[in-house]
Amino acid sequence: SQTIHQWPATLVQPVGSPLSLECTVEGTSNPNLYWYRQAAGRGLQLLFYSVGIGQISSEVPQNLSASRPQDRQFILSSKKLLLSDSGFYLCAWSFRDRGTEQYFGPGTRLTVT
Amino acid sequence: SQQGEEDPQALSIQEGENATMNCSYKTSINNLQWYRQNSGRGLVHLILIRSNEREKHSGRLRVTLDTSKKSSSLLITASRAADTASYFCATIKAAGNKLTFGGGTRVLVKP
């Protein structure tokens, strides 16, 4: 069976500090990978998605970047955090076929102070 | 603007009652999906309905899709306290693999 891991679970970082959130998937190969951000009480905003190693699509201009150094590893980064980067970050994966459901990790709660 | 918009934003019911929430979207879709999110957790996929389907059931869940009205509904029958969560609809466009989520409906089931 497949599992998805995210860490850390919670993070408190000062404004201007760097960020690295990691997501890994086990039990499948060549997944599509996604990073979402969720503001409090709101829906999910797609930030990045990847269909393969080194292939990253950015959905919205922002202070964040993503990388996929290995097939089942997806990293969300920032060089300098802003207050507006606070939120709940969710990683998800789906099978390579189009139109299938996505499977979400437990999320990382980021607070920028 | 959001591709999917849920209505109502919040719903409070007694255990045993049915809960109905609606979702509207704007563009043509390949399929529509419903997800549940418990507070502070990741999302869990509930059900997927394709654009050529009108109704689908899974346990106590019933989903309908009306592509002419660009709307869907999720019915939870005989609700339980454990159904307390936020419910999101999400759509995939006809030629894509990205989900677009609505703002969600927060459901509170009181014991």
Side-chain angles (χ1 to χ4, degrees):
Chain A
S1 64
Q2 301 87 12
T3 55
I4 178 169
H5 303 278
Q6 276 187 254
W7 64 90
T10 60
L11 192 59
V12 180
Q13 292 284 96
V15 168
S17 64
L19 173 74
S20 180
L21 302 181
E22 189 163 344
C23 171
T24 59
V25 180
E26 296 177 357
T28 188
S29 297
N30 304 314
N32 290 337
L33 295 171
Y34 309 84
W35 276 113
Y36 292 89
R37 178 170 57 205
Q38 184 178 31
R42 304 287 297 277
L44 277 68
Q45 179 186 37
L46 179 63
L47 301 176
F48 301 96
Y49 74 96
S50 171
V51 298
I53 296 174
Q55 300 178 61
I56 310 294
S57 294
S58 175
E59 289 298 295
V60 293
Q62 59 206 314
N63 185 41
L64 302 168
S65 62
S67 62
R68 184 170 178 174
Q70 299 180 45
D71 179 47
R72 290 170 290 179
Q73 184 184 30
F74 206 21
I75 296 172
L76 184 68
S77 304
S78 174
K79 293 182 179 177
K80 288 185 178 182
L81 284 168
L82 306 172
L83 285 174
S84 58
D85 291 324
S86 293
F88 191 49
Y89 289 84
L90 289 155
C91 181
W93 72 273
S94 68
F95 289 104
R96 185 56 58 87
D97 312 90
R98 286 186 172 182
T100 58
E101 56 264 38
Q102 293 183 11
Y103 303 92
F104 285 80
T108 294
R109 175 79 55 195
L110 172 66
T111 303
V112 182
T113 60
Chain B
S1 62
Q2 296 273 9
Q3 164 74 332
E5 296 288 348
E6 285 92 336
D7 169 52
Q9 291 188 340
L11 184 59
S12 180
I13 57 175
Q14 292 293 139
E15 205 166 27
E17 294 179 341
N18 295 342
T20 301
M21 59 209 86
N22 304 295
C23 168
S24 61
Y25 57 92
K26 293 182 171 63
T27 63
S28 296
I29 61 172
N30 177 282
N31 65 65
L32 185 145
Q33 302 175 30
W34 285 91
Y35 289 79
R36 183 184 71 210
Q37 183 182 34
N38 290 88
S39 180
R41 309 289 292 275
L43 277 71
V44 175
H45 180 264
L46 295 176
I47 197 164
L48 180 155
I49 186 165
R50 302 190 188 285
S51 59
N52 61 354
E53 298 176 307
R54 292 297 167 258
E55 187 171 312
K56 204 161 184 180
H57 296 255
S58 177
R60 293 183 295 111
L61 304 179
R62 173 177 170 255
V63 169
T64 63
L65 179 64
D66 187 334
T67 53
S68 66
K69 295 181 179 178
K70 291 186 168 58
S71 67
S72 172
S73 68
L74 171 66
L75 167 68
I76 305 172
T77 60
S79 63
R80 304 167 182 168
D83 295 328
T84 293
S86 291
Y87 293 82
F88 295 90
C89 72
T91 56
I92 288 187
K93 294 180 182 179
N97 59 7
K98 298 180 289 182
L99 282 173
T100 302
F101 284 83
T105 294
R106 296 186 305 280
V107 176
L108 171 63
V109 182
K110 294 179 282 187

